Amino acid sequence: MNIAFFLGGMASLLLIGLPVAFALGLLAISGMYLFNGGTFSFLQIPIISYKSLDDFTLTALPMYVLMSQVLVVSGVGRDLYEMASRWFRHFPGGLAIATLFCCAIFAAISGSSVATAVTVGAVALPEMTKRGYDKKMVLGLLAAGGTLGILIPPSVPMIIYGSVTGESIGKLFMAGIVPGILLTMAFMIFASWKTRHIKEAPATWQERKEASKRAIWGLILPIVVIGGIYIGIFTPTEAAAIGAMLSILISIFIYKNLAISNIKTIVLSTVKTNAMILMLIVGAMLLGYIMTVLQIPQAITQFAISQNVSPWVIFILINIVLLILGCFLETISILVITLPILYPIITSLGFDPIWFAIVMVVNMELALITPPVGLNLFVLKGLDRTNTIAEIVKGVIPYAIIMLLFIAVLSFFPEIATFVVSDRMK
């Protein structure tokens, strides 16, 4: 009955249009009042709210978001795209390969799918359509390429996963590198095959050298951030601060385009994004508290374990649930709502929680491109208003299929995500 109350309440609050953070909080407060001592239990609200944000790892969030916002206005995306196009355009479908390569690099800088889709899309969309690439295919490619922003570290969803579950952020970041590269390559192979009839004259070595020289700062950033974490020079939180500072210095002294008006926009956007994420975390922790008091996660975990089925059957069911939720909720909301329940189940069944984090992030990538609430679909719609969401969805379907197949590959070969993870990482 308790489970039915929370599921029904959440569905009702979301259907009437209440923001997810407030829906979580209101449902938690209602549960406290009804099942945990009435108004007396409200004394726990400020304590839980404070404790949920009193986490050193969460200080990385504003830094990574700030870095992403600075780079969006700095011109790094344009230089990265120009470099990639000069190196890859002579291959069949070369600009499609270049666009995905640029998405992967910018993902490793920003940690944001939306920032990746907007920055690369603004440059690549007019260029590719001008060169004869089908616009629906280009929009689908950009929507899918943008999702790499949450798989290739640094990744905001991975920080949320680590904060909620207590897993090492450094291990989660490292676990995302190889899957991110492999998924990018899978996208590239398909895009090249799909556009194999388009081939352009190769750039000269001098043109490649000039473009690479301009883009070198965009390439250095992910090397410093991820390399520093892997070697152990600094923690993911320290890496976030270093990355943010480097992005500001590059924008001021290299690109020289960080105007006062840009600073206001960057700060406001950073504050709004972080406020939204932190409100979601507070709401989720409040709901998690009352669910723990009522032992709902334990009951679900016990029920899952007691069933006479293979753990893989439960794993498949979890993926189906995540896929359905991805059609209606955005990624952070799904993570904070489901992790308090799914994490105990996964660990009790003997699955590696670091590996499951990567599987879950790929599911979140799918959530970004599945209608009706796929965020990247609307981002690309904003870049080109001549196409409908339905047309963009048609272009993105092949990449969604590739992601589903990739989840299957990760399931058969979990070492893809875990073999570079070191026990000394924090």
Side-chain angles (χ1 to χ4, degrees):
M1 190 175 75
N2 291 337
I3 295 174
F5 168 80
F6 286 111
L7 289 177
M10 178 59 67
S12 300
L13 292 173
L14 293 177
L15 284 173
I16 65 174
L18 195 67
V20 176
F22 296 109
L24 291 169
L26 183 59
L27 194 60
I29 292 171
S30 301
M32 289 178 182
Y33 180 79
L34 294 173
F35 307 121
N36 195 36
T39 56
F40 180 77
S41 64
F42 292 171
L43 295 173
Q44 293 294 323
I45 294 175
I47 299 172
I48 297 166
S49 300
Y50 178 82
K51 285 185 176 180
S52 64
L53 301 181
D54 186 25
D55 186 348
F56 181 68
T57 61
L58 285 179
T59 58
L61 273 177
M63 294 296 101
Y64 282 125
V65 174
L66 175 63
M67 180 170 67
S68 135
Q69 296 297 328
V70 170
L71 293 172
V72 165
V73 302
S74 68
V76 170
R78 290 189 297 273
D79 287 344
L80 285 173
Y81 185 78
E82 184 62 27
M83 179 201 71
S85 66
R86 293 187 182 185
W87 279 98
F88 293 109
R89 72 187 187 198
H90 60 285
F91 291 109
L95 279 187
I97 297 174
T99 298
L100 288 166
F101 176 83
C102 189
C103 285
I105 297 298
F106 198 83
I109 298 173
S110 69
S112 166
S113 289
V114 172
T116 301
V118 168
T119 305
V120 179
V123 182
L125 182 59
E127 189 68 22
M128 292 183 72
T129 51
K130 184 176 68 176
R131 303 291 181 89
Y133 288 80
D134 177 70
K135 185 175 285 188
K136 288 194 291 292
M137 190 283 300
V138 175
L139 290 168
L141 178 148
L142 288 168
T147 66
L148 296 169
I150 64 171
L151 178 59
I152 299 175
S155 163
V156 170
M158 289 184 188
I159 296 174
I160 301 299
Y161 185 99
S163 176
V164 173
T165 65
E167 294 293 337
S168 163
I169 305 292
K171 290 182 179 181
L172 293 170
F173 278 7
M174 290 304 108
I177 293 176
V178 175
I181 293 172
L182 291 178
L183 188 57
T184 303
M185 291 176 64
F187 285 171
M188 285 180 173
I189 291 169
F190 172 79
S192 178
W193 173 81
K194 184 73 174 178
T195 58
R196 60 191 180 279
H197 58 286
I198 303 177
K199 191 175 181 180
E200 301 182 36
T204 65
W205 284 104
Q206 183 61 30
E207 289 175 330
R208 292 174 179 174
K209 181 180 177 181
E210 291 173 356
S212 300
K213 185 177 179 181
R214 288 195 301 271
I216 189 66
W217 296 103
L219 297 172
I220 285 175
L221 263 176
I223 293 173
V224 171
V225 172
I226 303 304
I229 295 172
Y230 185 77
I231 295 172
I233 299 175
F234 35 69
T235 67
T237 304
E238 293 165 345
I242 290 169
M245 181 58 66
L246 278 177
S247 67
I248 293 171
L249 293 176
I250 289 170
S251 296
I252 293 174
F253 296 107
I254 304 299
Y255 291 96
K256 299 179 181 179
N257 58 1
L258 195 60
I260 298 298
S261 58
N262 287 339
I263 292 176
K264 181 180 178 181
T265 302
I266 289 167
V267 172
L268 283 175
S269 181
T270 302
V271 169
K272 287 179 181 178
T273 301
N274 281 285
M276 179 270 292
I277 294 173
L278 296 177
M279 285 293 289
L280 280 168
I281 291 174
V282 170
M285 291 304 178
L286 288 171
L287 184 60
Y289 163 78
I290 185 59
M291 292 179 71
T292 301
V293 168
L294 298 175
Q295 297 188 335
I296 291 176
Q298 296 91 323
I300 295 175
T301 302
Q302 188 59 42
F303 175 78
I305 295 173
S306 65
Q307 301 305 299
N308 190 23
V309 295
S310 166
W312 288 103
V313 173
I314 298 174
F315 172 77
I316 293 170
L317 291 174
I318 288 173
N319 279 274
I320 293 172
V321 170
L322 292 174
L323 183 61
I324 294 171
L325 289 175
C327 295
F328 304 100
L329 296 173
E330 47 80 37
T331 57
I332 304 299
S333 300
I334 298 172
L335 285 169
V336 297
I337 291 171
T338 62
L339 272 176
I341 296 174
L342 295 184
Y343 183 77
I345 294 175
I346 286 297
T347 52
S348 297
L349 293 174
F351 292 113
D352 188 324
I354 299 295
W355 161 81
F356 179 69
I358 304 306
V359 173
M360 197 166 188
V361 169
V362 178
N363 272 288
M364 297 305 96
E365 288 188 277
L366 273 168
L368 287 165
I369 57 173
T370 48
V373 192
L375 190 57
N376 279 17
L377 303 178
F378 292 95
V379 168
L380 270 299
K381 171 66 176 174
L383 289 179
D384 183 77
R385 298 184 182 278
T386 61
N387 284 325
T388 64
I389 292 292
E391 290 174 321
I392 301 174
V393 170
K394 289 179 182 177
V396 89
I397 286 174
Y399 298 96
I401 294 172
I402 291 172
M403 289 182 190
L404 289 171
L405 293 174
F406 189 65
I407 291 174
V409 172
L410 279 173
S411 301
F412 283 108
F413 304 101
E415 296 82 7
I416 292 173
T418 58
F419 83 95
V420 298
V421 177
S422 170
D423 288 336
R424 62 185 173 82
M425 293 175 184
K426 298 180 180 179

